[in-house]
Amino acid sequence: MKIVAWIQTDFPEKFGIPRQSGLVKELKGRIVFAPEYRNPEAVRGLEEFSHIWLLWKFSESKKEHWSATVKPPRLGGKKRVGVFASRSPYRPNDIGLSCVRLERLELTDREGPVLYVTGVDLMDGTPIYDIKPYIPLSDCHPEASEGYTRETKQHRLSVDFPLELLEIYPEEQRAAILGVLAEDPRPAYVQDEERIYGITYAEYNVRFRIVEEVVRVCAVEPV
């Protein structure tokens, strides 16, 4: 398959990226098309849709063999489910699927059409294979059953982010980093309250511990 675009985000590495799109609505992305696909006609009418589907490549998923079962992080890293009953990056074909909000479409002289999106769950530089409009009539199923995700969808942590550290970020990025931390970026099988983690977001590394379901930020350091 051909890569049609790449996305630019504030995540230079995969640790800390929300596990699904739309969980942190403040996270922004900028989609730039490959030169071959910069014809404005290719996106004509897309601005009429509020949301779009992205089909993309798990570019950091390193594997030689695929496994029939995987361990979803939210199930504690112990319970196995079928790979096709999961959204694990470790798949026979390393294809990801995200639904994001299309904030605006800009036509530029240098880069052609550029899509500005929010609610992203992609690392900076992720290749995109295809873009499709989200169509509520066919894509929305309120009666759908949730499977094992019913057990895990409410998992959010409190965040203790000292104001003097939070204000290192520009105002428009503060809600995003708070949302990322609240989603509990730890591997589910690691519950060491003494361990200090670090998320690199928007040119800073946020250092934190998680104690009794509270994220306690202890430092924000330039990368």
Side-chain angles (χ1 to χ4, degrees), residues 111-129:
E111 297 173 309
V114 176
L115 309 182
Y116 290 83
V117 296
T118 55
V120 301
D121 60 340
L122 289 82
M123 193 174 74
D124 185 50
T126 295
I128 295 175
Y129 288 131

Side-chain angles (χ1 to χ4, degrees), residues 19-20 69-76 79-88 91 145-154:
R19 293 179 172 90
Q20 304 293 340
T69 60
V70 296
K71 299 177 181 178
R74 284 288 186 253
L75 292 180
K79 182 177 178 181
R80 284 190 173 272
V81 302
V83 66
F84 298 126
S86 80
R87 296 194 177 184
S88 167
R91 323 182 64 79
S145 58
E146 301 173 276
Y148 60 83
T149 63
R150 181 176 56 253
E151 307 170 29
T152 61
K153 65 180 181 181
Q154 299 300 331

